[in-house]
Amino acid sequence: MLPKVAIVGRPNVGKSTLFNRIIGERLSITDDQPGVTRDRIYAKSSWLGKEFFIIDTGGIELGDAPFLTEIKAQAEIAMEEADVIVFTVDCRSGLTEEDTYIAKLLYKTNKPVILAVNKVDDQKFKENIYEFYALGFGDPVAVSSSHGIGTGNLLDQIIENFPQKLEEEKDDAIKFCLIGRPNVGKSSLTNTLLNDNRVIVSPIAGTTRDTIDTRFKSNGKEYVVIDTAGLRKRGKIYENVEKYSVIRSIDAIGRSDVVLLVLDASVGMIEQDLHVGQYIEEYNRPCIIVVNKWDLVEKDSKTMQKWIDDVRGHYKYLDYAPIVFLSAKENKRVHTLFPAIEQAYEAYHRRISTSVFNDVIADATAMFPPSEFNGGKIKIYYASQVGIEPPTFSFFVNDPKFLHFSYYRYLENQIRKNFDFFSTPIKLEFRKRD
């Protein structure tokens, strides 16, 4: 699970600009008008090799401004879940009553708080930072989020305050999570797998607010199933608690061995389903595509193949994922999940000996030699597996720039076919031999 960093502060102090600066793109809307950021916005970023989630929150202020209660609730949720809090203030306007009010909220969190004094665009403003010592958070960090001044120092302090990773106890249970847009039947499937109503099932979209882990046994093997809140398209998540549950769902993907992407056969493929799949690709997790509510579909001899073609067409980046058709409510074909989960888990952890791997690559290049690209032909001297979770292979070549994408895909497919990597992502790295 990645550390979480929440940016909080009153309106119009430059929180969203700082957020955009840290992630390197304009994801948050920035405007001089206070209160533009109402929902929490999140993204993954990294500094000095350390990845983390960063969360932009709506400004907290006193008075009766529109959405004030909702904005405060969102900020408090972010503060509760964050590992590090960046309290942003404005050196131009100085210390305000709202700043003092927010500081009192932050005292109660018992979390590391870094005070970022923003809009220090000129040396003449640097002396203004001293009055913020009164907030009681130690040395302020002078930054200009619009110009990037001081953001490196701020990020240094952020990662220094990340919690130390504890050694996890070895657990032989296979962890798998169920993700998908709201109301596709994730909770019903969890209950069927557990043969127990451990999760609330409701026709109302968004009933599951948090991730729920349950350990169970099937055919003598231990599993942990993680039921997650429904994921929606980025930027279209409005409700306070639901917005932050997306991060918890993504956390679930990050700590799972296998991810089950659940689709609703009674509705068909819609745009939200595609965005959910992108999270799996981002985390390089094995995936099983589960077409649920299969009992509600009128079928003929071509129905299943049409669905397979549709899924493959929409999820080209998940072409390795097996597709399972079932009905959680009717408990039909649910038993087919466990062999698929086992296969995906084993493939994700599979190692191939270097000699066998090089024999397969030599046969593949002899059968279909590479074409000229970028002024030369790629020549593979040798290759080896350098990692698992996902299986990762390094190729030592004359020059990586000669590799055409189509030949990359050819080699990937040959590896999948020869070593049964059809349930897991694999990574191919090409390095110039010294």
Side-chain angles (χ1 to χ4, degrees):
M1 294 174 65
L2 297 180
K4 305 179 191 70
V5 179
I7 302 176
V8 302
R10 60 183 174 83
N12 214 29
V13 295
K15 298 186 299 299
S16 296
T17 306
L18 181 59
F19 173 89
N20 290 337
R21 173 67 61 177
I22 289 173
I23 67 169
E25 59 178 300
R26 288 177 57 84
L27 186 59
S28 270
I29 299 170
T30 56
D31 196 290
D32 289 337
Q33 182 179 350
V36 169
T37 304
R38 291 174 182 167
D39 291 332
R40 287 177 309 284
I41 299 174
Y42 65 93
K44 194 163 72 170
S45 189
S46 65
W47 181 250
L48 299 179
K50 294 187 177 181
E51 290 189 323
F52 54 92
F53 280 117
I54 187 154
I55 311 155
D56 186 19
T57 64
I60 304 170
E61 59 183 321
L62 305 177
D64 298 318
F67 300 101
L68 179 58
T69 302
E70 291 85 352
I71 290 169
K72 182 184 174 186
Q74 290 179 27
E76 287 178 338
I77 292 168
M79 288 188 288
E80 177 188 342
E81 296 292 336
D83 297 296
V84 179
I85 299 169
V86 176
F87 179 18
T88 310
V89 294
D90 182 350
C91 81
R92 305 283 183 92
S93 54
L95 186 60
T96 68
E97 187 180 357
E98 281 93 347
D99 293 330
T100 304
Y101 170 73
I102 296 167
K104 290 177 181 177
L105 292 177
L106 294 177
Y107 295 150
K108 300 174 185 177
T109 66
N110 293 317
K111 303 285 180 68
V113 177
I114 301 168
L115 183 61
V117 183
N118 196 21
K119 304 184 184 180
V120 185
D121 306 298
D122 195 299
Q123 283 294 108
K124 66 182 180 182
F125 296 115
K126 202 158 187 180
E127 291 186 2
N128 295 5
I129 70 172
Y130 296 113
E131 66 176 308
F132 293 101
Y133 275 96
L135 293 172
F137 294 113
D139 294 334
V141 181
V143 299
S144 169
S145 53
S146 59
H147 294 90
I149 299 169
T151 52
N153 294 334
L154 177 63
L155 285 162
D156 286 342
Q157 288 207 27
I158 288 172
I159 64 174
E160 283 174 12
N161 282 278
F162 285 164
Q164 295 295 315
K165 285 188 177 180
L166 300 175
E167 282 293 324
E168 293 184 9
E169 292 184 13
K170 183 172 175 56
D171 188 354
D172 292 329
I174 298 176
K175 296 183 178 68
F176 66 93
C177 68
L178 280 63
I179 71 163
R181 59 182 173 81
N183 213 30
V184 294
K186 298 184 300 298
S187 296
S188 294
L189 181 54
T190 301
N191 290 340
T192 301
L193 291 169
L194 297 173
N195 195 25
D196 184 12
N197 290 325
R198 297 289 295 273
V199 185
I200 297 170
V201 181
S202 166
I204 303 170
T207 299
T208 304
R209 299 294 187 189
D210 208 339
T211 59
I212 302 169
D213 296 21
T214 309
R215 184 179 293 268
F216 70 103
K217 275 189 177 182
S218 178
N219 295 323
K221 295 182 179 178
E222 286 205 352
Y223 300 88
V224 175
V225 59
I226 308 169
D227 181 29
T228 65
L231 292 174
R232 296 185 180 178
K233 181 180 176 181
R234 287 184 176 96
K236 289 196 174 180
I237 308 167
Y238 303 106
E239 195 174 336
N240 297 341
V241 179
E242 183 179 339
K243 182 65 179 276
Y244 205 75
S245 71
V246 173
I247 297 179
R248 292 172 181 164
S249 297
I250 295 171
D251 274 347
I253 296 173
R255 58 193 175 89
S256 293
D257 299 305
V258 181
V259 179
L260 274 56
L261 170 57
V262 185
L263 308 177
D264 183 346
S266 67
V267 175
M269 299 283 293
I270 64 175
E271 185 184 3
Q272 287 181 17
D273 293 316
L274 307 182
H275 291 275
V276 173
Q278 291 170 358
Y279 294 106
I280 304 169
E281 182 189 30
E282 186 175 338
Y283 274 84
N284 283 312
R285 287 298 187 270
C287 175
I288 299 165
I289 299 174
V290 179
V291 182
N292 190 25
K293 306 186 186 180
W294 193 236
D295 56 305
L296 301 179
V297 176
E298 290 187 15
K299 307 173 190 67
D300 58 31
S301 60
K302 298 179 180 178
T303 305
M304 185 175 287
Q305 188 57 52
K306 286 179 181 176
W307 255 95
I308 291 172
D309 293 342
D310 194 25
V311 169
R312 293 299 181 212
H314 282 89
Y315 290 111
K316 291 179 180 177
Y317 50 88
L318 296 177
D319 56 357
Y320 58 84
I323 304 171
V324 175
F325 295 83
L326 55 79
S327 168
K329 187 176 180 180
E330 300 291 330
N331 196 7
K332 292 179 179 177
R333 300 173 59 91
V334 175
H335 66 280
T336 61
L337 272 181
F338 291 104
I341 291 170
E342 287 279 339
Q343 182 185 40
Y345 178 83
E346 289 170 6
Y348 195 52
H349 294 83
R350 184 172 299 138
R351 289 189 180 274
I352 308 299
S353 73
T354 300
S355 59
V356 172
F357 186 70
N358 276 278
D359 287 344
V360 168
I361 296 302
D363 289 345
T365 53
M367 183 171 58
F368 182 51
S371 302
E372 186 171 324
F373 179 67
N374 277 341
K377 288 185 180 181
I378 192 85
K379 182 176 176 58
I380 300 171
Y381 297 111
Y382 63 95
S384 65
Q385 185 173 0
V386 294
I388 58 173
E389 302 180 20
T392 304
F393 303 90
S394 275
F395 291 75
F396 294 87
V397 301
N398 53 344
D399 195 330
K401 75 177 183 181
F402 298 151
L403 177 69
H404 192 275
F405 175 72
S406 63
Y407 205 74
Y408 178 103
R409 291 290 288 175
Y410 167 71
L411 292 172
E412 180 184 0
N413 290 333
Q414 289 297 306
I415 294 168
R416 289 192 184 283
K417 184 175 74 173
N418 282 277
F419 301 111
D420 194 19
F421 282 121
F422 288 110
S423 302
T424 179
I426 61 175
K427 294 173 68 176
L428 278 57
E429 300 171 347
F430 290 82
R431 303 177 182 177
K432 188 171 184 177
R433 190 176 73 172
D434 296 329

